[in-house]
Amino acid sequence: MMFDPNVILRHMPEIMSGTAVTLALWITGMLLGVILGFIIATLRRYGSPLLDVPLGLIVEVLRGTPFLIQIFLVYYGGPFIGISLDPIPCGLLGLSIYAAAYYSEIFRAGYQAVPHGHFEAAECLGLSRLQIIRRILLPEMALIVLPPSVNLAVILLKESAVLSIITVPELTTTVSAIGSQEYAFLEAIFLLALIYWFIVEAAARLGRAAEARLSTYRFAAP
């Protein structure tokens, strides 16, 4: 069996479509996860103690179970409670909730890592609460949470391949179907690995650039 690049070229439109679906689900799910995770972390940090226990339990359950099981429960278990979703909305919902659990812990650690003395110094200088949040908390917290957030984004990209199990027409589903149709499994696996590697490298480089940009805050913040 010889490697045949023509197989890839013949199916390039389908491959591009699958890649677009993967990128859309990944980016949207990641953004929703960041927003929801930030809300959860803020509620656990500054909300009522009555919220901390149930939210913490939900986060631990989500972090302690495989994403594959979670997506199965949402897709196949949803209809039993009146929630019937098509594969793409179900995949997006599952990926967002999964991401939110991990991002909430990243943000919670970021809150705890900012020294309390910085807040006291800002209060002594007469800064308002809003100014403290804008000039002290959020910039320092961003420096702390960015590296693990980029790592989690990479993990979420690779976890999105699990959505092929519920027939989401993303990259893994598309390329696997091409491999089965053309009996070109070597070409399919090679292409799949290459595309994921390229996206991961691009995300990592963007993350390093953002981290370098944010680090200038230490020296140039007003």
Side-chain angles (χ1 to χ4, degrees):
M1 180 182 295
M2 296 182 62
F3 187 89
D4 184 9
N6 291 323
V7 173
I8 298 173
L9 296 176
R10 284 198 303 269
H11 293 277
M12 190 57 66
E14 300 99 304
I15 294 168
M16 296 300 294
S17 175
T19 303
V21 172
T22 291
L23 289 173
L25 286 171
W26 172 50
I27 294 172
T28 307
M30 180 175 56
L31 291 176
L32 291 174
V34 167
I35 294 170
L36 184 56
F38 184 78
I39 292 172
I40 292 172
T42 303
L43 289 174
R44 294 188 66 188
R45 176 71 173 179
Y46 298 107
S48 169
L50 296 176
L51 288 174
D52 185 37
V53 174
L55 287 176
L57 179 61
I58 293 171
V59 168
E60 288 305 314
V61 170
L62 291 172
R63 293 175 66 229
T65 53
F67 179 56
L68 176 63
I69 294 176
Q70 294 176 22
I71 203 67
F72 269 142
L73 287 174
V74 174
Y75 189 66
Y76 294 108
F80 287 96
I81 57 174
I83 302 175
S84 182
L85 298 174
D86 291 333
I88 289 180
C90 178
L92 179 59
L93 176 63
L95 194 63
S96 301
I97 294 174
Y98 180 76
Y102 284 90
Y103 275 118
S104 71
E105 287 299 287
I106 290 175
F107 289 128
R108 194 164 71 95
Y111 276 129
Q112 295 173 346
V114 178
H116 187 69
H118 292 191
F119 300 108
E120 294 176 345
E123 290 173 354
C124 292
L125 292 173
L127 270 65
S128 66
R129 180 177 294 273
L130 182 60
Q131 289 175 318
I132 292 173
I133 292 173
R134 184 171 63 88
R135 295 190 177 186
I136 306 297
L137 176 61
L138 292 182
E140 290 194 34
M141 186 176 165
L143 287 170
I144 296 167
V145 305
L146 182 59
S149 294
V150 173
N151 288 337
L152 180 55
V154 169
I155 292 171
L156 290 174
L157 172 63
K158 292 184 283 189
E159 289 284 10
S160 69
V162 173
L163 300 179
S164 62
I165 298 295
I166 58 171
T167 68
V168 173
E170 45 78 63
L171 182 61
T172 301
T173 304
T174 303
V175 174
S176 298
I178 292 171
S180 299
Q181 177 184 341
E182 297 281 351
Y183 296 98
F185 299 104
L186 176 62
E187 292 86 344
I189 293 172
F190 174 79
L191 177 64
L192 195 60
L194 184 64
I195 294 175
Y196 275 115
W197 174 82
F198 178 80
I199 300 173
V200 166
E201 280 298 305
R205 288 178 180 272
L206 286 174
R208 287 193 292 269
E211 187 176 355
R213 181 76 173 176
L214 277 174
S215 65
T216 59
Y217 166 81
R218 297 175 182 174
F219 310 102

